[in-house]
Amino acid sequence: MASTPTVSANASDSWFEAAATAQIHAEQLQRVELFNGRAAMLGFVIGVLTEALTGQGILHQIGLATLLGPGGGLG
């Protein structure tokens, strides 16, 4: 009589838990990346609006105006 291999419940449970954990992690990562992209877009728009209102460029706003040199321009 041939013996048939048996799969323990623990092995199948651990595979299922690992697959579920990987799927949850992927979904959370997707949500975090979506939030980061939206926050970056919002920050850029706020910077452009502030530049339009104050006349100071984005580098001046964040304190990096010294990188522009004495003339204040890029070129």
Side-chain angles (χ1 to χ4, degrees), residues 1-72:
M1 179 172 212
S3 74
T4 58
T6 58
V7 176
S8 68
N10 290 337
S12 65
D13 286 346
S14 67
W15 174 84
F16 178 75
E17 288 175 6
T21 301
Q23 182 178 0
I24 290 169
H25 177 71
E27 290 171 1
Q28 288 175 341
L29 185 62
Q30 185 178 10
R31 278 190 297 243
V32 167
E33 288 296 327
L34 184 63
F35 178 80
N36 285 342
R38 289 176 177 169
M41 287 186 280
L42 183 63
F44 182 76
V45 168
I46 289 171
V48 169
L49 290 175
T50 305
E51 181 176 351
L53 293 173
T54 64
Q56 291 185 346
I58 292 176
L59 291 178
H60 284 89
Q61 294 173 30
I62 60 175
L64 296 177
T66 57
L67 294 176
L68 296 176

